[in-house]
Amino acid sequence: MAVMGSLYQVNPSPIPTTISSSSSSSSSTTQKGLLTRRTLVLGQSLIATSSLHLFGPILSPSSYQQAIAQQVQQDELQLEEDRIVNLFQETSPSVVFIKDIEIDKSLKTSPEEVMLRDDNSAKIEGTGSGFIWDKFGHIVTNYHVVSKLITDSSGLQRCKVYLVDAKGNGFYREGKIVGYDAAYDLAVLKVDVEGYILKPVVIGTSSDLHVGQSCFAIGNPYGYENTLTTGVVSGLGREIPSPNGSAIRGAIQTDAAINAGNSGGPLIDSYGHVIGVNTATFTRKGTGVSSGVNFAIPIDIVVRTVPYLIVYGTPYSNRF
């Protein structure tokens, strides 16, 4: 199993996870909106089909019903496509692109000057993803995405974060480490957002997930920015290794493609709510190619961990 360039051997966990069902008012509202739109489009389809019947050749009852069924099916496919497009457009501004860079110590310019330029004056050590936690510039990502910055003692490691504000304006800033928890493979960065208004993600819940429900991963695999992959929740309650050698229990398994550069990005549900943090994938032995077995850290763990990292810089478990 590869976690952003690192190889781990993962054994599937036999530990089951209790799943409870719940609903939210926002989900209900969205469903009603889709239902209303679907009714409108289907109504238009029936009118269009009726017009064909009136002004075209007279169809037999069976042919007429078949034409209606085909039109309804096309409209439903169009609605589903439009929904996914809208989902991406609404969520992608909250996803960031992270570059780990190493400043060349032979350069005459200062590291600060290098960070202000978007050129080839620094060596790119790796790329990853993250998402906007709040309007103050806190960014959530994986620990292993920024581990070189965390463990750097030379002062030459830097982290560059590329963002989009609420108006669609792209910009980049240096990311500073606020806190991290290697046991859950989580880290929080802080960027200066003066003059910009950010669009934080909408936080969901992972306690009521069901195997088979749709999910979507947004990130920057292999440096290709703003990439969307689709899939389903393939399993729940999985166990995967963390960077410090312990186990992360309760992970979400998905077949939504997660590759190098996706790590730290959000896994979202059909309503655009973040349900996990993409973190790892199995790879085919000797190829480095994803096998389609991918994992995300449940958002419920993230919600319990990140506030402590922002306030104290360390996880709750390290404070007592």
Side-chain angles (χ1 to χ4, degrees):
M1 171 179 186
V3 182
M4 285 296 295
S6 300
L7 296 177
Y8 292 91
Q9 184 64 37
V10 180
N11 295 318
S13 171
I15 302 175
T17 298
T18 302
I19 304 174
S20 60
S21 298
S22 63
S23 60
S24 63
S25 58
S26 61
S27 300
S28 177
T29 302
T30 305
Q31 290 173 333
K32 290 178 180 178
L34 290 174
L35 182 59
T36 302
R37 185 181 175 192
R38 178 177 298 174
T39 303
L40 176 61
V41 174
L42 294 185
Q44 293 173 342
S45 300
L46 292 175
I47 293 173
T49 309
S50 299
S51 299
L52 290 174
H53 178 68
L54 290 174
F55 298 102
I58 297 177
L59 302 176
S60 65
S62 60
S63 299
Y64 181 70
Q65 291 175 355
Q66 185 178 6
I68 292 177
Q70 289 176 346
Q71 187 63 50
V72 168
Q73 184 179 25
Q74 290 175 3
D75 289 339
E76 288 182 341
L77 290 173
Q78 185 63 52
L79 279 174
E80 177 65 13
E81 186 177 273
D82 291 345
R83 184 182 67 83
I84 295 175
V85 169
N86 184 68
L87 185 70
F88 174 76
Q89 291 176 342
E90 288 294 318
T91 309
S92 59
S94 304
V95 182
V96 306
F97 182 28
I98 298 174
K99 283 185 180 180
D100 286 323
I101 63 176
E102 182 179 359
I103 305 297
D104 187 349
K105 61 182 179 182
S106 65
L107 293 176
K108 296 180 180 180
T109 56
S110 68
E112 287 70 24
E113 289 176 322
V114 173
M115 288 302 297
L116 292 174
R117 300 198 305 265
D118 193 14
D119 55 23
N120 298 320
S121 58
K123 178 183 177 182
I124 299 177
E125 293 285 309
T127 61
S129 305
F131 55 89
I132 300 171
W133 182 260
D134 56 32
K135 293 184 177 181
F136 303 106
H138 290 109
I139 307 296
V140 174
T141 187
N142 282 142
Y143 170 89
H144 73 260
V145 171
V146 291
S147 60
K148 289 185 178 180
L149 177 62
I150 292 173
T151 58
D152 175 50
S153 59
S154 66
L156 298 176
Q157 292 290 335
R158 293 290 191 275
C159 178
K160 218 166 193 177
V161 181
Y162 295 78
L163 312 92
V164 176
D165 68 6
K167 296 180 179 179
N169 300 312
F171 65 104
Y172 59 89
R173 291 287 186 270
E174 180 175 3
K176 302 287 188 179
I177 294 292
V178 171
Y180 58 90
D181 185 352
Y184 284 122
D185 198 10
L186 292 172
V188 178
L189 301 172
K190 179 72 165 59
V191 297
D192 179 12
V193 293
E194 184 177 356
Y196 294 93
I197 299 176
L198 300 183
K199 183 180 180 181
V201 295
V202 179
I203 301 298
T205 178
S206 53
S207 62
D208 58 353
L209 295 178
H210 298 279
V211 173
Q213 75 177 75
S214 298
C215 60
F216 309 85
I218 301 178
N220 309 282
Y222 302 111
Y224 291 102
E225 299 180 55
N226 291 325
T227 298
L228 172 72
T229 55
T230 67
V232 298
V233 174
S234 306
L236 297 167
R238 304 310 194 203
E239 183 175 304
I240 60 176
S242 67
N244 70 353
S246 62
I248 302 175
R249 295 180 174 85
I252 302 166
Q253 180 185 335
T254 177
D255 65 347
I258 297 174
N259 293 289
N262 270 113
S263 285
L267 184 70
I268 61 177
D269 63 15
S270 297
Y271 304 102
H273 301 164
V274 179
I275 58 174
V277 179
N278 302 319
T279 188
T281 182
F282 269 117
T283 57
R284 295 186 180 91
K285 187 176 181 180
T287 66
V289 178
S290 174
S291 63
V293 181
N294 311 296
F295 301 95
I297 302 166
I299 195 63
D300 290 354
I301 291 178
V302 180
V303 169
R304 291 196 304 265
T305 304
V306 167
Y308 283 95
L309 298 183
I310 292 175
V311 176
Y312 302 106
T314 58
Y316 177 84
S317 59
N318 288 3
R319 299 179 56 244
F320 298 98

